[in-house]
Amino acid sequence: MNVRNWDDLIRKAVTEGNDALIASLSEQLSKCEKAHSILRAKGYGMQGSTIEATAALVPGKREW
């Protein structure tokens, strides 16, 4: 999903008071942060880098 889709989904959840959707979005964000932490602990990325930049450093399956 692109930024606009995420933005629309978040705004919809908040304006409609959709607690289940807000909880689902919060869980997704938490999992992304955890994945970023795992990659950083394995030596990928630099402090302050985005999750996309960090993930781009992980070699592809065939590159190992």
Side-chain angles (χ1 to χ4, degrees), residues 32 35-36 39-40 44-46 49-60:
C32 288
H36 196 194
L39 290 172
R40 289 282 298 121
Y44 294 102
M46 299 176 356
S49 63
T50 65
I51 184 67
E52 296 91 351
T54 302
L57 296 172
V58 177

Side-chain angles (χ1 to χ4, degrees), residues 22 31 36:
I22 292 170
K31 288 178 180 180
H36 196 194

